[in-house]
Amino acid sequence: MPHVKPWLTFTEWGKKYGDILHIEVLGKHIIVLNSTKTATEILDKKSSVYSDRPVFPMAELVGLIKSALSRPIRN
């Protein structure tokens, strides 16, 4: 992950690999959208497909997934 002006690196990667990039940093997944068209399509038009709450495996293991805040948005 670039530390200085990451948007410049993401722009170069976008030219090389396309509008949607996936980066994994320390086990965290990062999605970079390199065009307004792609961002609008995914974040506005298809938000119900791609939106959800984060999963907390330890909370599931100890039975703390009872609250409405930790349940998935979709059924």
Side-chain angles (χ1 to χ4, degrees), residues 51-68:
S51 296
D52 207 349
R53 293 188 174 105
V55 176
F56 301 103
M58 279 306 294
E60 289 179 14
L61 288 174
V62 297
L64 295 176
I65 301 298
K66 304 287 187 230
S67 73

Side-chain angles (χ1 to χ4, degrees), residues 25-73:
V25 179
L26 301 173
K28 294 289 184 181
H29 299 275
I30 300 170
I31 305 297
V32 178
L33 305 174
N34 271 316
S35 75
T36 305
K37 179 182 175 189
T38 302
T40 301
E41 183 175 311
I42 290 178
L43 299 175
D44 284 343
K45 296 179 183 176
K46 296 183 179 183
S47 63
S48 64
V49 175
Y50 295 110
S51 296
D52 207 349
R53 293 188 174 105
V55 176
F56 301 103
M58 279 306 294
E60 289 179 14
L61 288 174
V62 297
L64 295 176
I65 301 298
K66 304 287 187 230
S67 73
L69 295 176
S70 61
R71 290 189 189 134
I73 293 173

